[in-house]
Amino acid sequence: MHWAPPVSFPCPSERKENALLLSLKSLTKTYRTGDKALVSVSLDIPKGQVVALIGPSGAGKSTLIRCINRLVEPTEGQVLLDSVDITELSSSGLRRERRRMGMIFQEYALVERLTVMENVLSGRLGYVGFWRSFLRKYPQSDVDEAFRLLDRVGLLAMADKRADELSGGQRQRVGICRALIQNPSLLLVDEPTASLDPKTSRQIMRLICELCEERGLAAIINIHDVALAQMFVQRVIGLQSGSVRFDGPPTALTPDVLTEIYGEEDWQATIRKDDEEDAEAAVA
Amino acid sequence: MPVEQIADGRKVWQKRNRREQLTHWASWFAGVAVFVYCWQQISESTTWFFVWDAPRIAGDILTRATPPKWFYINELWEPIWDTLNIATLGTLLALCLAVPTAFLAARNTTPSTMIIRPIALLIIVSTRSINSLIWALLLIAIIGPGVFAGVLAIAIRSIGFCAKLLYEAIEEIDQKQVEAITATGASRWQVMAYGIVPQIMPAFAGVAVFRWDINIRESTVLGLVGAGGIGLQLSASLNVLAWPQVSLILIVILLAVILSEWVSAKVRGAII
Amino acid sequence: MTTALDTRLGQPWRKPPFIKRVWLRWSVAAGAVLYLIAAIASIEVNWSRVYEGLDRGAAFIMSFTRPDFISRAGDIWDGMLESLIMTVAASVVGILISIPIGLGAARNIAPLPVYLVCRSIVALSRALQEIIVAILLVAIFGFGPLAGFLTLSFATIGFLSKLLAEDIEAMDRVQAEAIRATGAGWMQWINYGVQPQVMPRLIGLSMYRVDINFRESAILGLVGAGGIGATLNTAFDRYEFDTAAAILMLIIGIVMVLEYLSGIIRARVQ
């Protein structure tokens, strides 16, 4: 056998509770141009499970994530979060449910001209009224939680720096804090490592998975780096042309499967080869 | 295309092919013809006798205007204060009105592209197209002469200018930051306060200072039509041909303009 | 790390202020408030006069629904034509003159004496308000469009030369040096090394200036320098708001057409 099954990094450990958290029922998105981004996608995600979403660019990964919190309006189908149908909600109901879904973005999407602290606290916007947020008068409990989170990701000293003074890895940590302070039960993560170097990418992925573990969060992580995904998650979903082509544990990702998702290519190089990378990961 | 083969088979390189060359020359010809026509019209309605006499008249005015009547400055302090107020209050008022207009006009923040956006754009283009002196004329006809009319004239003229630059800045913001704030469950107003406003702050400050500088210049002449400020003294002095006073006023205006340009350059440097 | 956290937990958090020094922050704020109070207090508003004026204001706004192009059609037509003529002639002459002056005002291609002369022309033209120049020129050359034409040309020079000079100073040195390295003469160097780099922006700015010149030409008539302004002034003086509305609508319409045209031209040259 020329392909060694990857040693799964034990991210959130095997959990007993398998209660359903998120359920997508034949979710479809057709853009106004007629492009079909998602074709009847159905998925179930239990509480606390970390899922990687892989697939070529344009496969609909980003659209799928954005349909869940309706940054993109789905055309058809249902999104059930704890049996609440997100697609049916009015705008105030939607805002309430969005608080339960923290989102982490490609290229961080921090508000560059605000301080780190303001960026983190902006995760509480769904909980505080307009004037409180406008005057930056957040409840002390929110401020304390922001300090705790910043301390957890090692950025407490940066609290009053402006976001555009930070490095890429630091900004993504702030993005993670902003998502976590929402006190979510689900994380939607869109290409968290796309603009980071390989070492920082691993650190960020590990941080996200550790935090999910600590807080028992489920997460859907869009990621194009298959090896990185295999390293950290318990379940991989392969998307191609808007529909699910693979759904299983990372160990089941064979070259055949990857060919089905990405098209013909030599996959030996992509799939993690041996232990040297593990050693590297341990050091990093 | 520009390489052509002529009869004996040689290839010739030209910058344009024949059709392009023809239209090129035709448009130049049309342009020159229009200019010549315009010049003729101007020339017809000019009394050339005065023009030939102009150097003498200019010299005459210059000798009358020098030296400036320096102690007249004591009567100018109040008009200078009024001029400054017209520009500053006019700019502030304009900004208050320009911000909502800009949000209504920007494609990504307008509540409706079919009705409200065209109205906002119409406000922008119509206030921008008409000079503050004309606004002053109009306001004086409506509410009477005075500093108040000047403030309003400056404010109205500046709405379109500021709103245009602001709405262009709003349309250029990074949409991902807005998306991120929306995803936290923020309300419409919170998205605006956290996702959009911080991004357009530099543009806003730049526009405000830039327009204030322009408004200082414009408010110096509003008095010519009776809308207060130092222009009133200028027009009064011109009417009685008090050239030494005119020259002093012109020096004061020049200094004010240079000073305001210096201030606005400093402030812009400090903000950006 | 945890001790740092402990000291901050339970502490209130405030956004760091824009101006760090406390006394400076307070004096700036207090100064601004005092100025505003003084400024607003010094404006005398005759509210009863304003109240009476509201009817006229409403009448003026209503007159936009029935603009009167007819009763003074002759005056409007002549004034508009004169404004357009002044705009075109002044733009052509102004642009032609501002090119050599712009070249002279660019420090990286002009020798120092030329630079200083050109810069002072630019500074003078920018510091003098159009309407003041027009007053002086009317006094010197007499009433009529010639004074307006000269005013607009002079203003165009200040505007375009400055921006052109800044553009040339910011251009890519390497391209210009490559042309010089071929052994080109000064004129050739300008033609091949500099012109292609600044031409698109120059055309865009020229179109923008045409637009400004038209708008300015509408007020020059107030001081007797020709154009539609005189007709407009008369209309306001006689409270003929219908005619005034018609003129204003024409001005807005022409400005919109000019903006549209300049948009097309700018898109084509870039």
Side-chain angles (χ1 to χ4, degrees):
Chain A
M1 199 176 174
H2 50 75
W3 172 72
V7 188
S8 174
F9 190 89
C11 200
S13 58
E14 311 298 304
R15 285 178 177 278
K16 293 286 173 293
E17 34 175 322
N18 275 329
L20 195 61
L21 175 71
L22 179 76
S23 172
L24 309 184
K25 295 204 188 303
S26 46
L27 198 64
T28 300
K29 172 69 190 176
T30 313
Y31 282 108
R32 235 176 280 167
T33 51
D35 296 332
K36 283 187 185 299
L38 294 176
V39 186
S40 192
V41 172
S42 296
L43 282 177
D44 285 332
I45 292 174
K47 286 201 167 71
Q49 189 180 55
V50 176
V51 179
L53 201 58
I54 64 170
S57 12
K61 295 179 302 207
S62 225
T63 308
L64 178 62
I65 280 206
R66 280 171 169 71
C67 277
I68 294 173
N69 63 2
R70 272 174 63 188
L71 285 178
V72 170
E73 281 302 328
T75 324
E76 266 171 62
Q78 289 180 309
V79 177
L80 300 172
L81 183 71
D82 271 340
S83 342
V84 177
D85 187 355
I86 304 284
T87 55
E88 298 282 292
L89 292 173
S90 67
S91 68
S92 65
L94 175 63
R95 283 208 302 278
R96 216 165 30 244
E97 290 304 314
R98 271 180 180 162
R99 304 190 306 207
R100 301 190 50 209
M101 299 181 275
M103 189 155 177
I104 297 171
F105 290 81
Q106 185 178 2
E107 281 158 2
Y108 339 117
L110 297 183
V111 182
E112 303 276 326
R113 296 184 58 85
L114 295 183
T115 60
V116 166
M117 196 62 180
E118 284 172 290
N119 269 293
V120 176
L121 285 171
S122 70
R124 298 297 292 177
L125 284 176
Y127 294 89
V128 299
F130 174 76
W131 286 110
R132 275 198 102 131
S133 65
F134 184 77
L135 298 170
R136 314 296 197 251
K137 294 220 181 297
Y138 288 87
Q140 187 61 41
S141 55
D142 290 358
V143 174
D144 283 348
E145 178 63 12
F147 282 140
R148 269 190 218 103
L149 282 166
L150 282 174
D151 186 51
R152 171 67 183 80
V153 302
L155 288 177
L156 187 60
M158 301 287 192
D160 284 332
K161 284 252 184 339
R162 240 170 63 171
D164 52 7
E165 294 173 45
L166 268 54
S167 71
Q170 290 174 327
R171 287 189 208 192
Q172 194 56 291
R173 284 162 207 266
V174 176
I176 292 169
C177 291
R178 174 172 66 189
L180 289 178
I181 203 171
Q182 285 178 233
N183 199 13
S185 31
L186 172 68
L187 281 185
L188 302 171
V189 190
D190 189 15
E191 301 281 10
T193 62
S195 35
L196 300 175
D197 63 63
K199 187 179 160 192
T200 320
S201 297
R202 283 191 190 196
Q203 291 171 338
I204 291 292
M205 274 300 280
R206 180 169 307 111
L207 183 65
I208 292 174
C209 292
E210 280 173 7
L211 286 163
C212 286
E213 161 89 39
E214 282 168 23
R215 292 162 175 253
L217 300 182
I220 302 178
I221 306 179
N222 267 353
I223 189 158
H224 60 242
D225 186 339
V226 178
L228 199 60
Q230 284 176 303
M231 217 182 293
F232 290 106
V233 303
Q234 308 134 314
R235 178 179 168 194
V236 175
I237 293 169
L239 215 58
Q240 217 260 312
S241 313
S243 47
V244 176
R245 295 295 167 86
F246 173 83
D247 188 349
T251 41
L253 269 181
T254 60
D256 290 344
V257 172
L258 286 174
T259 305
E260 158 125 26
I261 300 172
Y262 285 96
E264 198 60 55
E265 185 55 60
D266 177 17
W267 295 109
Q268 306 311 336
T270 310
I271 292 168
R272 294 181 53 240
K273 288 150 280 185
D274 37 54
D275 303 44
E276 76 183 278
E277 261 191 283
D278 281 330
E280 199 185 301
V283 174
Chain B
M1 183 170 60
V3 182
E4 266 180 66
Q5 220 155 20
I6 53 173
D8 56 1
R10 275 186 301 139
K11 283 183 178 172
V12 180
W13 180 82
Q14 279 175 315
K15 202 171 168 191
R16 303 179 177 85
N17 68 20
R18 194 150 308 149
R19 262 249 316 281
E20 281 175 339
Q21 207 151 23
L22 264 173
T23 45
H24 188 72
W25 287 115
S27 44
W28 271 108
F29 181 75
V32 171
V34 168
F35 177 70
V36 169
Y37 167 78
C38 290
W39 178 249
Q40 260 177 347
Q41 292 293 313
I42 292 175
S43 159
E44 259 173 41
S45 38
T46 304
T47 320
W48 287 101
F49 170 73
F50 285 141
V51 177
W52 304 133
D53 205 26
R56 197 186 59 74
I57 297 175
D60 186 39
I61 291 176
L62 197 67
T63 39
R64 279 163 198 259
T66 45
K69 194 173 160 191
W70 294 112
F71 59 85
Y72 183 61
I73 189 82
N74 288 324
E75 282 171 55
L76 291 182
W77 295 122
E78 206 186 321
I80 292 173
W81 168 250
D82 282 343
T83 306
L84 176 70
N85 291 342
I86 293 174
T88 312
L89 297 179
T91 310
L92 288 176
L93 193 58
L95 288 172
C96 295
L97 297 168
V99 168
T101 316
F103 275 101
L104 296 180
R107 214 171 269 121
N108 47 354
T109 53
T110 184
S112 98
T113 36
M114 295 306 292
I115 305 160
I116 293 177
R117 182 161 191 266
I119 293 175
L121 289 178
L122 185 70
I123 292 174
I124 289 173
V125 74
S126 51
T127 52
R128 230 164 66 81
S129 312
I130 293 171
N131 197 289
S132 47
L133 270 176
I134 298 178
W135 283 117
L137 272 183
L138 168 65
L139 286 162
I140 287 165
I142 293 174
I143 62 171
V147 175
F148 189 51
V151 172
L152 290 185
I154 288 286
I156 296 177
R157 166 69 177 87
S158 310
I159 292 175
F161 180 92
C162 298
K164 177 163 194 276
L165 293 176
L166 278 178
Y167 97 76
E168 284 168 358
I170 296 173
E171 287 184 350
E172 279 167 21
I173 58 171
D174 178 8
Q175 206 56 45
K176 291 197 60 164
Q177 298 180 26
V178 179
E179 204 182 25
I181 296 296
T182 314
T184 65
S187 69
R188 196 186 166 88
W189 291 102
Q190 286 174 325
V191 170
M192 211 166 252
Y194 274 72
I196 299 176
V197 170
Q199 293 197 57
I200 60 165
M201 259 343 242
F204 176 80
V207 168
V209 178
F210 184 33
R211 188 65 219 184
W212 177 78
D213 179 19
I214 298 176
N215 282 346
I216 288 275
R217 286 155 195 261
E218 301 214 328
S219 59
T220 57
V221 295
L222 281 182
L224 291 175
V225 296
I230 199 167
L232 278 176
Q233 269 63 26
L234 179 62
S235 133
S237 306
L238 279 170
N239 285 340
V240 296
L241 298 176
W243 290 104
Q245 291 181 22
V246 171
S247 59
L248 180 71
I249 294 171
L250 290 185
I251 290 171
V252 168
I253 291 179
L254 216 61
L255 285 178
V257 167
I258 292 169
L259 205 65
S260 75
E261 193 158 333
W262 180 79
V263 169
S264 87
K266 280 281 157 204
V267 173
R268 255 183 291 173
I271 293 169
I272 301 162
Chain C
M1 217 154 75
T2 37
T3 50
L5 177 63
D6 285 338
T7 56
R8 299 202 80 159
L9 282 182
Q11 295 297 310
W13 168 84
R14 239 183 247 114
K15 184 183 170 65
F18 181 63
I19 302 172
K20 293 266 176 346
R21 274 166 292 179
V22 180
W23 62 269
L24 186 63
R25 186 162 75 234
W26 283 103
S27 39
V28 166
V33 170
L34 282 179
Y35 168 75
L36 274 184
I37 292 172
I40 293 171
S42 75
I43 295 180
E44 289 158 22
V45 184
N46 183 349
W47 288 109
S48 63
R49 177 74 175 77
V50 172
Y51 182 75
E52 284 167 30
L54 287 180
D55 289 341
R56 272 196 295 269
F60 173 71
I61 290 167
M62 288 313 291
S63 61
F64 271 96
T65 57
R66 42 176 170 73
D68 177 5
F69 294 92
I70 311 299
S71 45
R72 302 212 173 266
D75 290 345
I76 295 178
W77 171 251
D78 289 345
M80 275 295 168
L81 193 65
E82 202 167 64
S83 272
L84 283 171
I85 282 171
M86 289 187 333
T87 306
V88 172
S91 303
V92 171
V93 171
I95 291 165
L96 288 182
I97 298 176
S98 60
I99 290 171
I101 292 185
L103 289 173
R107 189 65 200 97
N108 53 347
I109 59 173
L112 190 63
V114 178
Y115 170 77
L116 290 177
V117 170
C118 292
R119 276 284 163 176
S120 32
I121 296 174
V122 170
L124 188 69
S125 154
R126 283 171 50 78
L128 290 173
Q129 184 78 58
E130 275 96 337
I131 201 89
I132 291 176
V133 176
I135 291 172
L136 295 177
L137 290 177
V138 167
I140 295 173
F141 292 101
F143 293 103
L146 183 72
F149 158 74
L150 290 174
T151 305
L152 293 179
S153 308
F154 185 59
T156 306
I157 293 169
F159 176 87
L160 268 185
S161 302
K162 175 166 188 276
L163 294 171
L164 178 64
E166 279 170 6
D167 224 28
I168 294 174
E169 283 172 356
M171 74 180 179
D172 181 11
R173 275 177 177 286
V174 185
Q175 289 183 41
E177 272 168 10
I179 298 295
R180 177 150 274 184
T182 63
W186 194 82
M187 285 301 285
Q188 289 170 316
W189 177 56
I190 295 295
N191 187 213
Y192 281 81
V194 179
Q195 192 195 336
Q197 292 195 55
V198 297
M199 206 54 190
R201 219 170 104 82
L202 180 64
I203 292 175
L205 288 171
S206 302
M207 284 311 297
Y208 181 46
R209 187 64 217 189
V210 172
D211 184 7
I212 298 178
N213 278 347
F214 177 74
R215 279 186 257 172
E216 294 292 332
S217 77
I219 54 161
L220 294 178
L222 300 182
V223 295
I228 188 75
T231 320
L232 189 60
N233 197 6
T234 320
F236 278 127
D237 280 349
R238 296 183 187 156
Y239 295 110
E240 288 173 352
F241 287 145
D242 299 355
T243 306
I247 296 172
L248 292 183
M249 284 170 81
L250 281 174
I251 294 176
I252 294 172
I254 292 177
V255 168
M256 281 170 84
V257 169
L258 283 176
E259 276 191 3
Y260 182 70
L261 283 180
S262 80
I264 293 178
I265 290 175
R266 260 180 286 182
R268 274 191 60 177
V269 292
Q270 266 155 19

